[in-house]
Amino acid sequence: GVDLVLEPVQKLRAWRFLCELPYGPVMWTLEDNKRVIRQLHKLKFNSIHYSIWPAHPFVHYEIEGIAKRTSDTLQRDILRLGPDTPGYESLKDFGDPMLPPWLAGKTAYTDRLAAGQGHLHAIMDEADAHEMNSSLGFQPLEFPVEFAPLLEDPTRHSIQLGSLTCAEQADLMNPKHRKVFHAVMEAHLETWSRCDEFLILLPEH
């Protein structure tokens, strides 16, 4: 005779997609991502978080004549894959060196950018179909190395992602840094305006 509805205390129950690691979702196919989203929906998750990194091919911007040209997904790690690699039969479709399936055969920056944005939009489409909240996290204080000349005192050592990124070491409020920061912020907010929320992440190192 009990008629009872229990609502979860945690209103947003999120799962993170994308990363910079070869054993994570960045290496999944679109169908892999869709299958996980459908299962998360059954398990009463109602939010998907997308974590993108400065080197990822998911956003493009140009600042003072310098265009973003970095489009890496695995921290510049070169993962060789040959017949003697454990699990080769299951992994061989990733290519040699290994790349995410959605980047297979793509070497030009423009092709990688189009593939990355198309892949992420398709994942978001699946989440939207299940009426899931979406949030996107990015790092506006860390930049692909091609933008180092625009900073007052850029890092010259590897801070993360191989040697693909740099950050400002001078006063963060200096005009040069603020200009690059604003351009990166605007590019992410405009490119991924379909998201419900944005999370501003700090450099790991």
Side-chain angles (χ1 to χ4, degrees):
V2 176
D3 183 5
L4 179 65
V5 176
L6 297 177
E7 296 288 347
V9 174
Q10 192 73 26
K11 298 302 181 186
L12 279 181
R13 300 171 298 283
W15 190 277
R16 189 184 84 154
F17 280 66
L18 299 179
C19 62
E20 271 287 339
L21 303 171
Y23 47 79
V26 75
M27 297 295 283
W28 295 354
T29 65
L30 177 58
E31 185 50 44
D32 289 334
N33 281 278
K34 288 183 175 181
R35 187 166 58 250
V36 171
I37 288 173
R38 291 193 293 266
Q39 184 64 19
L40 291 171
H41 185 254
K42 292 178 185 176
L43 295 171
K44 306 303 181 185
F45 283 82
N46 62 4
S47 182
I48 301 294
H49 175 66
Y50 308 97
S51 183
I52 67 176
W53 299 71
H56 271 158
F58 297 124
V59 66
H60 178 73
Y61 44 87
E62 298 185 21
I63 311 169
E64 293 189 1
I66 298 178
K68 182 176 181 286
R69 61 177 183 271
T70 299
S71 58
D72 186 89
T73 54
L74 298 176
Q75 304 187 26
R76 195 171 271 180
D77 290 333
I78 306 299
L79 303 177
R80 306 304 309 194
L81 186 63
D84 58 342
T85 303
Y88 176 73
E89 287 303 314
S90 298
L91 298 171
K92 61 184 178 182
D93 291 340
F94 287 94
D96 181 25
M98 289 179 67
L99 283 173
W102 46 274
L103 276 186
K106 296 175 175 61
T107 56
Y109 172 78
T110 53
D111 292 339
R112 287 187 163 207
L113 178 65
Q117 291 184 339
H119 179 67
L120 187 47
H121 274 300
I123 296 173
M124 291 180 176
D125 288 343
E126 183 68 22
D128 287 349
H130 291 85
E131 300 182 343
M132 301 178 86
N133 182 81
S134 62
S135 63
L136 184 126
F138 64 98
Q139 302 180 27
L141 293 170
E142 192 168 348
F143 318 104
V145 290
E146 52 265 36
F147 296 102
L150 302 182
L151 301 177
E152 187 171 296
D153 183 19
T155 52
R156 305 187 189 284
H157 56 282
S158 177
I159 51 178
Q160 70 168 339
L161 307 182
S163 55
L164 295 170
T165 61
C166 62
E168 179 67 273
Q169 299 180 108
D171 179 0
L172 298 185
M173 296 304 292
N174 78 73
K176 290 184 176 181
H177 182 253
R178 289 176 63 177
K179 185 169 188 175
V180 178
F181 170 86
H182 281 293
V184 172
M185 284 285 292
E186 289 175 0
H188 283 81
L189 296 178
E190 180 178 348
T191 303
W192 299 109
S193 59
R194 64 183 294 181
C195 292
D196 299 303
E197 300 175 79
F198 290 93
L199 278 68
I200 307 304
L201 309 178
L202 297 176
E204 288 187 333
H205 305 287

